[in-house]
Amino acid sequence: MITGTSRGPAEQEPERRGRRPRFGQYALELFMIAVAVVFLFPVYALITLAMKDPQQISDSPLSLPSPPTFANFGNAWSSASLGPALLNSTVITAVSLLILVVLGSTGAYYLARRARGLGYGLYILFLLGIVLPFQLGMIPLYKLVDDLGWLGTYQGMVLFYTGIQLPFTVFLYTGFIRALPQDYAQAALIDGCTHRQAFTRIVFPLLRPITGTVIILNAVFIWNDFFTPLLYLGGSDKETVPVGVFAFVGQYVSDYGLVFAGLVLAALPILVVFVLLQRYVIKGFAGGLKG
């Protein structure tokens, strides 16, 4: 009695071939590892040099610190006045992000639901704001802020960043909202909600992925911007982290351990924000591309 059938060599060959590791996969993995090493090497050098004393840096700059020292971080914190600079950057970034999220999401909701006539014209206007370089308006913007008496203040920086980043924010929100089904908002309107209530209670909670994308992209730009705070805040007590680090590096350019420790402290807050919100970046872009 035959209880089963045996496979011939011709039938078993594809199965064995499928189990064999492919040379192309190995090559791709090795290439990705090499790319990761290239991108991680500056981070390794930054952290390693920040944990060395001057003697270790002169002897072997790229070797692991032996023993590591954390005194550079404390000295950099006090010497570079990073505490006030971090507070200034945090206030400017947080307030700017709040205004961008509120104005960008509400404006994009109107543009996404009014794709013709005035809505389409405004959308094209916002796209022009992305294409045109903001450097073209630096002189009139500086004159405007000066006439308002906002040079060296939080208000001037918040006004600048809100105006510069609002077109990009509206663009991201509009693409994502267009990909959302309109049934939920329409059902809320039928139940008696106003457009504002439908947006705040129904639509905005669905915008969590793109809101995370808006926050992280704008936060990285605002936090790392150097030229604008140098122009608008230079010489005042409202200088941000990049301006403070720039002055600090110029003062302690010969003490590389102190300089790199200051750079680590300056980059750490925005790095933490990016790690916490990075999963929303891909979700936000994917939702916008669908629309």
Side-chain angles (χ1 to χ4, degrees), residues 152-172:
T153 64
Y154 291 145
Q155 304 95 292
M157 295 304 303
V158 170
L159 176 66
F160 176 85
Y161 287 128
T162 301
I164 292 299
Q165 294 299 106
L166 188 59
F168 180 64
T169 302
V170 169
F171 170 73
L172 292 178

Side-chain angles (χ1 to χ4, degrees), residues 98-196:
L98 178 62
I99 297 176
L100 285 170
V101 169
V102 173
L103 295 182
S105 59
T106 53
Y109 179 69
Y110 172 81
L111 297 179
R113 296 297 183 246
R114 298 289 186 272
R116 298 179 180 178
L118 179 62
Y120 181 76
L122 291 175
Y123 183 68
I124 296 299
L125 186 62
F126 277 110
L127 292 183
L128 290 177
I130 299 176
V131 175
L132 295 177
F134 74 90
Q135 289 84 356
L136 295 177
M138 288 302 298
I139 294 178
L141 284 173
Y142 183 88
K143 179 64 176 173
L144 173 62
V145 175
D146 188 21
D147 292 341
L148 292 174
W150 285 358
L151 287 178
T153 64
Y154 291 145
Q155 304 95 292
M157 295 304 303
V158 170
L159 176 66
F160 176 85
Y161 287 128
T162 301
I164 292 299
Q165 294 299 106
L166 188 59
F168 180 64
T169 302
V170 169
F171 170 73
L172 292 178
Y173 270 120
T174 302
F176 194 90
I177 293 175
R178 284 177 177 172
L180 293 177
Q182 303 184 26
D183 300 341
Y184 300 111
Q186 290 176 352
L189 294 174
I190 293 174
D191 290 339
C193 291
T194 62
H195 284 283
R196 180 182 61 82

Side-chain angles (χ1 to χ4, degrees), residues 252-281:
Y252 294 94
V253 67
S254 59
D255 193 343
Y256 291 104
L258 208 60
V259 168
F260 282 103
L263 293 175
V264 171
L265 292 174
L268 190 59
I270 196 63
L271 180 62
V272 172
V273 173
F274 181 82
V275 170
L276 293 177
L277 298 179
Q278 55 91 20
R279 63 192 179 102
Y280 290 112
V281 175

